[in-house]
Amino acid sequence: MVADLLRDGKPFADIGTDHAYLPVAMLLEGRAPSAAACDVGEGPLANAAKTVEKYGLSDRVELVLCSGFEDPRLLNYTDFCMAGMGGNLMVDLLTAAPWLQREDTHLVLQPQSHSEDVREYLYRSGFSILRETATVDSERVYIAMEAEYTGVVKDATLAECYIGELGNSPAPRKYDHFRTVLHRLTTRREALLAYPEEKEECDLLASVISEIEAVLAEE
């Protein structure tokens, strides 16, 4: 799912690569000429090195020990992937690298949680979300999004941050994701109803819930 959102023919940096499966797969399929496998941990990067060496790709994959986008070598890349980490961590790493907000920056993001916060960051930072998709692996729903820097800042509503372009995706598994989100928001709203001072948030959540229910009605 994540690989399908990456651009063909572009070197890319995989942030939080772990075993470097994604860079190796992209190179073996001939979809990328080279890649950077980046991780903050020495252990995961050692695992990445083993995978790269196993497939004879050491001359085409550079191993980078760094947190997020802090290594200056990454300035040479335009395409980046972050998969398998929480949405809040993604936002922190992206925020710490404002240089990403430049022409032709292309991001593929697969947040494990809080995808609404990732979308909100993208919208307010001049990125346009091109497409989103969803899949199920081992009975868990995963979503991913593709974005590019356009410089156009969007004042997105809360509903837009929760739905994004996933609402327009042809992926049938998107409905599983939205059911999970609906349950989370409904539970939160019901808990807040007991507190009159939280009426404004309750009303806002009710609006978001209504829009998610409209997406689910299309199933």
Side-chain angles (χ1 to χ4, degrees), residues 158-217:
L158 186 60
E160 287 174 320
C161 291
Y162 271 100
I163 297 173
E165 288 301 312
L166 190 59
N168 299 321
S169 171
R173 291 300 191 173
K174 70 180 183 182
Y175 298 111
D176 297 301
H177 169 77
F178 285 127
R179 272 188 282 271
T180 299
V181 173
L182 180 63
H183 175 74
R184 176 158 60 94
L185 295 182
T186 301
T187 300
R188 176 170 176 76
R189 183 175 183 274
E190 288 175 350
L192 291 176
L193 284 173
Y195 304 92
E197 66 273 19
E198 302 295 343
K199 183 180 185 305
E200 184 176 349
E201 182 175 355
C202 285
D203 291 345
L204 188 58
L205 288 174
S207 176
V208 177
I209 287 169
S210 177
E211 293 202 37
I212 292 176
E213 287 175 335
V215 173
L216 288 170

Side-chain angles (χ1 to χ4, degrees), residues 71-133:
D71 193 284
R73 285 174 285 180
L74 298 181
L75 291 168
N76 298 320
Y77 290 84
T78 60
D79 291 48
F80 303 90
C81 177
M82 285 198 291
M85 65 180 75
N88 291 335
L89 176 56
M90 283 188 179
V91 171
D92 289 344
L93 296 178
L94 291 165
T95 302
W99 60 265
L100 290 168
Q101 296 170 35
R102 63 184 185 182
E103 186 179 359
D104 204 35
T105 293
H106 195 87
L107 304 174
V108 173
L109 308 172
Q110 188 269 298
Q112 298 285 74
S113 60
H114 298 289
S115 57
E116 68 278 5
D117 293 329
V118 176
R119 294 189 189 97
E120 193 272 336
Y121 164 83
L122 293 172
Y123 289 138
R124 66 176 162 81
S125 301
F127 288 89
S128 294
I129 301 175
L130 303 179
R131 55 179 172 157
E132 297 190 44
T133 188

